[in-house]
Amino acid sequence: MTVDVKEVQEKLSVNNYKMTSQRKLILKIIMNNEGKHLSAEEIYAKVKEANPGIGLATVYRTLELFSELGVIHQLNFDDNCRRYELDHGEDHHHHLICVKCGEITEFNDYILEEFEEDIEKEHNFIVSDHRIKFYGYCGNCQ
Amino acid sequence: MTVDVKEVQEKLSVNNYKMTSQRKLILKIIMNNEGKHLSAEEIYAKVKEANPGIGLATVYRTLELFSELGVIHQLNFDDNCRRYELDHGEDHHHHLICVKCGEITEFNDYILEEFEEDIEKEHNFIVSDHRIKFYGYCGNCQ
DNA sequence: AAATCAATGATAATGATTATCAATATTATG
DNA sequence: CATAATATTGATAATCATTATCATTGATTT
Ligand SMILES: [Mn+2]
Ligand SMILES: [Mn+2]
Ligand SMILES: [Zn+2]
Ligand SMILES: [Zn+2]
């Protein structure tokens, strides 16, 4: 379930998109910063280090495109900007959010299988994805 | 765990805030629209019906205040505005989000108790709250 | 090479939220 | 009661993340 450039290239071409140098760079930035949950602006800053000519609009467009293709997905940590991380499909994780310092910790998801089935039956709803956030106090902030 | 006006009045006065007519009206709008997950603008529209003189800023301020006091909490359904609902403390619920039509369905939360304990031990994190969203297809959209 | 289509960069526009500030209401004080 | 002090409000301006626009550039096809 690890994402690699080749796989994304495939996804792009299947959908008649091209792997441009800008898109490749943005992808690499995201891959090299797993667990950092970068925002568009933060990605833009890093992207400019490698290619100062790149435009902010391209970053936003690429993030939108990668989201559509399921390469990445958006996160919301209540800090009024969207954040992004690679979409690892099945073996995904969720987040602990420290309400004091804002630190984000990841934890693996493994418990919701049977719960999903209950939900599907009880509400006639076909679950395709889910997201869990725990709020509380990290080690430093207790 | 049902929220009522008197209780909120108490919370306000304990923290040296006053229950003004505007605040009471906004609270009632939210209480009379349980399950609707109104945004600030939507609340503003309903508030104006009863009191056309009220300002949008007051709505935002009041929502902020109520959030701080734990009377309500924010929701994010990925539609680029914040939505609000009463905070029922312990007996809370979570949301199913139809990715096709956007319908929101509520479901009760009862499974995460033991999971929380695991999390707390494994990550040295004291959980105070959590939020779950399931994405998928509602009955109409399957 | 010319024509066609996709992608980009610069920049303007949008829209939700926040900040400002003068006016008004409420409470405390003499 | 009158007045000072404080809290709240409404109007409006500012902010800032995100989107839209559009001319330019790059790639692909004929
Ligand atoms: Mn993560
Ligand atoms: Mn709800
Ligand atoms: Zn912390
Ligand atoms: Zn639906």
Side-chain angles (χ1 to χ4, degrees):
Chain A
M1 270 302 170
T2 294
V3 179
D4 71 331
V5 178
K6 195 140 271 174
E7 188 192 336
V8 176
Q9 195 144 23
E10 191 57 27
K11 266 187 187 168
L12 284 168
S13 69
V14 165
N15 295 86
N16 286 322
Y17 295 111
K18 299 173 185 64
M19 176 59 97
T20 64
S21 67
Q22 292 91 336
R23 286 173 180 164
K24 190 179 287 184
L25 178 55
I26 291 167
L27 176 60
K28 280 186 174 164
I29 298 283
I30 297 172
M31 294 195 318
N32 290 338
N33 289 278
E34 285 246 48
K36 296 269 192 63
H37 311 111
L38 301 177
S39 68
E41 287 282 358
E42 286 165 356
I43 292 169
Y44 178 56
K46 287 180 189 295
V47 154
K48 288 202 88 147
E49 291 172 16
N51 176 357
I54 207 166
L56 177 59
T58 298
V59 172
Y60 273 102
R61 274 189 297 244
T62 302
L63 292 173
E64 173 66 20
L65 178 60
F66 284 174
S67 295
E68 276 171 21
L69 297 178
V71 175
I72 60 176
H73 58 246
Q74 293 180 22
L75 299 171
N76 183 286
F77 294 143
D78 314 293
D79 62 347
N80 63 285
C81 70
R82 296 174 196 160
R83 296 181 173 278
Y84 301 86
E85 69 181 1
L86 290 176
D87 190 325
H88 289 282
E90 295 303 300
D91 68 359
H92 58 201
H93 63 266
H94 299 290
H95 301 93
L96 309 177
I97 304 168
C98 179
V99 297
K100 196 163 173 199
C101 75
E103 186 182 78
I104 307 291
T105 311
E106 303 183 333
F107 67 92
N108 286 323
D109 163 82
Y110 55 86
I111 200 133
L112 252 41
E113 312 288 292
E114 76 254 47
F115 193 43
E116 280 195 10
E117 289 173 25
D118 294 353
I119 291 280
E120 297 206 330
K121 279 177 193 139
E122 193 177 329
H123 292 94
N124 184 31
F125 187 92
I126 295 178
V127 175
S128 58
D129 199 4
H130 65 257
R131 211 126 306 164
I132 310 176
K133 293 188 284 190
F134 282 98
Y135 295 91
Y137 297 90
C138 77
N140 291 112
C141 294
Q142 287 167 23
Chain B
M1 269 302 168
T2 294
V3 180
D4 71 330
V5 179
K6 194 141 273 175
E7 188 192 335
V8 176
Q9 196 144 23
E10 191 56 28
K11 267 188 189 170
L12 283 168
S13 69
V14 164
N15 295 86
N16 288 322
Y17 296 111
K18 298 173 185 65
M19 178 59 98
T20 64
S21 67
Q22 292 92 334
R23 286 172 180 166
K24 191 179 286 185
L25 178 54
I26 291 167
L27 177 62
K28 280 187 174 160
I29 299 281
I30 297 172
M31 292 194 319
N32 291 339
N33 288 278
E34 284 246 47
K36 296 269 192 62
H37 311 111
L38 301 178
S39 66
E41 288 282 356
E42 287 165 355
I43 292 169
Y44 177 57
K46 287 181 189 295
V47 153
K48 286 202 86 144
E49 290 171 17
N51 176 358
I54 207 166
L56 177 58
T58 299
V59 173
Y60 273 102
R61 274 189 295 246
T62 302
L63 292 173
E64 172 67 20
L65 178 60
F66 284 174
S67 296
E68 275 171 24
L69 297 178
V71 174
I72 61 178
H73 58 245
Q74 294 182 20
L75 299 171
N76 182 287
F77 295 144
D78 313 295
D79 61 348
N80 63 285
C81 70
R82 296 173 197 162
R83 297 181 171 279
Y84 301 85
E85 69 180 2
L86 289 175
D87 190 324
H88 290 283
E90 296 303 301
D91 68 358
H92 59 200
H93 63 266
H94 301 288
H95 302 93
L96 308 177
I97 305 170
C98 178
V99 294
K100 196 165 172 195
C101 75
E103 186 182 80
I104 306 291
T105 311
E106 302 183 334
F107 67 91
N108 286 323
D109 165 80
Y110 53 86
I111 199 126
L112 252 37
E113 311 289 293
E114 75 255 46
F115 194 42
E116 279 194 12
E117 288 174 27
D118 294 353
I119 291 280
E120 297 206 330
K121 279 177 195 140
E122 193 176 329
H123 293 93
N124 184 29
F125 187 92
I126 295 178
V127 175
S128 59
D129 198 5
H130 64 257
R131 212 126 303 165
I132 309 176
K133 295 188 284 191
F134 282 99
Y135 295 91
Y137 297 90
C138 77
N140 292 112
C141 294
Q142 288 169 20

